Amino acid sequence: GQSLEQPSEVTAVEGAIVQINCTYQTSGFYGLSWYQQHDGGAPTFLSYNALDGLEETGRFSSFLSRSDSYGYLLLQELQMKDSASYFCAVRDLSEAGGFKTIFGAGTRLFVKA
Amino acid sequence: GAVVSQHPSRVICKSGTSVKIECRSLDFQATTMFWYRQFPKQSLMLMATSNEGSKATYEQGVEKDKFLINHASLTLSTLTVTSAHPEDSSFYICSARGRGTVRADGSYEQYFGPGTRLTVT
């Protein structure tokens, strides 16, 4: 089967650093992505890791270890607007040809003042 | 960046009727479009993948005759929920990738539409 595990909720204070972990078990693996979704909105892309290591984009960083089937999203200098759901997602082969994205259940991040 | 639109943003329909949702790529040619549904406070579940000009590939458990997908052009895909029932009420989101959405590493990024909230009464 295919599964992506991530914590259901995380709470942190404004200005802090928070790490959201994701472990995956999928039939294929062609990269790990992270998406942010505010309540009532559509997901927006944050980061993508195809190779092991750390990718940094501003306040957000994402890490991947393929040997451990593990990745994380690191959010620094937390702001109130970062309160949202964060989904890890794995690219896998699609029967239609090309790739499809499988999403984890999401982690709700609450940022407190 | 690439823009994907969906129409309508919200729709309320009566049980037994059919509803069509449009997904358009506005500034790129979408060779592949994905349709997801999301129940409140849950993850996105992939329903089907469609490549332009060919039949959609449905995920296991998704009824092909109930959720009709057409991807007739490089900028438009439609999802028709036929004979809708209250349990079909959900947030339907499309995403697209294709020419013009290539990342620096050569892979394709997919862009999400704003979603359509369907309520079946």
Side-chain angles (χ1 to χ4, degrees), chain A residues 33 35 37 39-45 47-48 50 87 91 94-106 108, chain B residues 32 34 36 38 41-44 46 49-51 57-59 91 93 97 103 105 107-110 112-115 117:
Chain A
S33 299
Y35 292 84
Q37 185 181 32
D39 285 346
T44 55
F45 170 78
S47 68
Y48 171 72
F87 295 91
R91 289 181 86 209
S94 168
E95 291 178 12
F99 298 97
K100 66 181 181 183
T101 302
I102 304 164
F103 284 80
R108 286 186 68 84
Chain B
T32 304
F34 303 90
Y36 296 86
Q38 185 179 34
K41 301 192 187 305
Q42 293 189 25
S43 188
L44 286 81
L46 179 65
T49 303
S50 72
N51 293 315
T57 300
Y58 290 79
E59 294 299 304
F91 192 43
I93 308 171
R97 68 156 193 255
R103 294 196 191 96
D105 65 1
S107 64
Y108 285 93
E109 180 51 67
Q110 64 179 79
F112 286 83
R117 194 163 301 282

Side-chain angles (χ1 to χ4, degrees), chain A residues 60-89:
Chain A
F60 295 77
S61 303
S62 57
F63 172 82
L64 173 65
S65 170
R66 288 173 294 171
S67 60
D68 296 322
S69 297
Y70 164 76
Y72 66 72
L73 178 70
L74 191 73
L75 297 87
Q76 302 182 73
E77 300 173 22
L78 278 176
Q79 302 175 9
M80 299 297 287
K81 67 178 182 179
D82 297 330
S83 293
S85 291
Y86 293 84
F87 295 91
C88 62

Side-chain angles (χ1 to χ4, degrees), chain A:
Chain A
Q2 315 212 65
S3 68
L4 286 83
E5 303 271 342
Q6 52 182 129
S8 59
E9 280 188 13
V10 172
T11 301
V13 297
E14 209 173 3
I17 299 172
V18 71
Q19 178 174 313
I20 301 174
N21 298 322
C22 175
T23 57
Y24 58 88
Q25 186 174 7
T26 55
S27 54
F29 179 82
Y30 296 88
L32 180 72
S33 299
W34 288 92
Y35 292 84
Q36 180 192 62
Q37 185 181 32
H38 288 97
D39 285 346
T44 55
F45 170 78
L46 290 178
S47 68
Y48 171 72
N49 295 66
L51 302 175
D52 292 348
L54 189 69
E55 295 277 344
E56 298 182 61
T57 309
R59 294 189 298 116
F60 295 77
S61 303
S62 57
F63 172 82
L64 173 65
S65 170
R66 288 173 294 171
S67 60
D68 296 322
S69 297
Y70 164 76
Y72 66 72
L73 178 70
L74 191 73
L75 297 87
Q76 302 182 73
E77 300 173 22
L78 278 176
Q79 302 175 9
M80 299 297 287
K81 67 178 182 179
D82 297 330
S83 293
S85 291
Y86 293 84
F87 295 91
C88 62
V90 166
R91 289 181 86 209
D92 194 359
L93 286 177
S94 168
E95 291 178 12
F99 298 97
K100 66 181 181 183
T101 302
I102 304 164
F103 284 80
T107 298
R108 286 186 68 84
L109 172 64
F110 298 95
V111 180
K112 303 188 300 184

Side-chain angles (χ1 to χ4, degrees), chain B residues 1-15:
Chain B
V3 178
V4 175
S5 70
Q6 275 185 248
H7 178 79
S9 56
R10 289 179 180 271
V11 58
I12 301 173
C13 70
K14 292 188 176 180
S15 189

